[in-house]
Amino acid sequence: MMSVGTSASLLWAALCLWVLVSASGGQRTITAEPGQNVTLTCRAPSSSENRTVEWTRPGLDPDYVFVYRNKKFDPTNQHPSFKERVELKDSQMKDGDVSVTLKNVTFTDTGIYECRVAQGQTKAPELINITHLRVSADITAEPGQNVTLTCRAPSSSEIRAVEWTRPGLDPDHVFVYRNNQPDPTNQHPSFKERVELKDSQMKDGDVSVTLKNVTFTDTGTYECRVLQSQSKAPELTNITHLTVNSAGHTGGHSGAEGDQGGHVGLAVGLLVLAVLTAAVVSLTYRKLRGQKKQSSAPADKAGLCDV
């Protein structure tokens, strides 16, 4: 029979192994805002020499984000969108650290990134780590405002279709553009006649939309997908989190007016409370005074009789 001490030791060892496996492999998700620098983490499985390091993003052509080969960076097949934007976090790759830094991220950097390493004892690069990068924008608005949901096409190629969706709705379409015109066929009823392209010409790939007269129910996550001439299906290009605040608003007033209304309401409430309190005190005093007069009346009569 296994002792309690032995069981505890095995449990601790299993926990440590799980932590090590989780830290060195598997898939992780990173959320960033446009303009930030992010680190795509990856560590070689052993201390052997790293002959080749490949960071790729499936779906791109070519799909290379960063390649280290023959003891130096190899830009030969790097995708143009990553030129001069990716570098090793540690050029010495100490302790097998082959993480890379991706600079000045944009919405089009959203996607899956895979890290592969070829070491002295391996013949081909082996998949070590998968990182899901989401580049999203956070917008805060007040009821009644118009907001811009920003999105830009990945390239300058012809834009065949644009889809703005909000997952969780049925249907989930917020705005659809295809065949050179808006297509309201499957648009969710709550967005009818409230969404339009910011630039109807979509210059420089700008497929941002304006959402008019926002309400509390517009709070949520909005996804932008673009179909271009070289793509087979609309590609996720941008994610925007919209929050429509409710604090400080009464009957659709602005924040300042709402605060002012709140202060006035508080003052009126306190005044009414003070008046009611005074009335109660006055009534109580009168009642006690009346009772005192009634209790003292017999004594007065008795005194008169004695005179």
Side-chain angles (χ1 to χ4, degrees), residues 148-162:
T148 298
L149 306 179
T150 305
C151 187
R152 190 172 295 276
S155 69
S156 58
S157 301
E158 178 188 0
I159 298 174
R160 296 167 52 195
V162 177

Side-chain angles (χ1 to χ4, degrees), residues 180-222:
N180 298 320
Q181 62 182 354
D183 182 0
T185 306
N186 293 315
Q187 186 181 38
H188 191 276
S190 66
F191 296 105
K192 294 289 186 182
E193 300 180 357
R194 294 178 54 220
V195 191
E196 62 183 20
L197 283 169
K198 180 183 177 182
D199 179 2
S200 60
Q201 304 298 319
M202 297 183 291
K203 295 178 182 177
D204 300 322
D206 186 359
V207 293
S208 307
V209 293
T210 300
L211 176 56
K212 303 177 181 178
N213 191 25
V214 296
T215 66
F216 306 129
T217 57
D218 290 325
T219 294
T221 299
Y222 294 78

Side-chain angles (χ1 to χ4, degrees), residues 287-298 300:
K287 184 176 181 180
L288 291 174
R289 186 178 180 184
Q291 291 176 351
K292 184 176 181 180
K293 286 183 178 180
Q294 291 177 1
S295 61
S296 63
D300 294 339

Side-chain angles (χ1 to χ4, degrees), residues 100-122:
V100 292
T101 300
L102 176 56
K103 303 176 182 179
N104 191 25
V105 296
T106 67
F107 299 126
T108 57
D109 290 326
T110 294
I112 302 294
Y113 293 79
E114 297 180 348
C115 170
R116 290 176 171 80
V117 178
Q119 295 189 304
Q121 70 274 21
T122 59

Side-chain angles (χ1 to χ4, degrees), residues 142 247-249 253-263:
E142 297 178 357
H249 295 274
H253 295 292
S254 66
E257 292 172 341
D259 292 340
Q260 184 178 1
H263 293 315

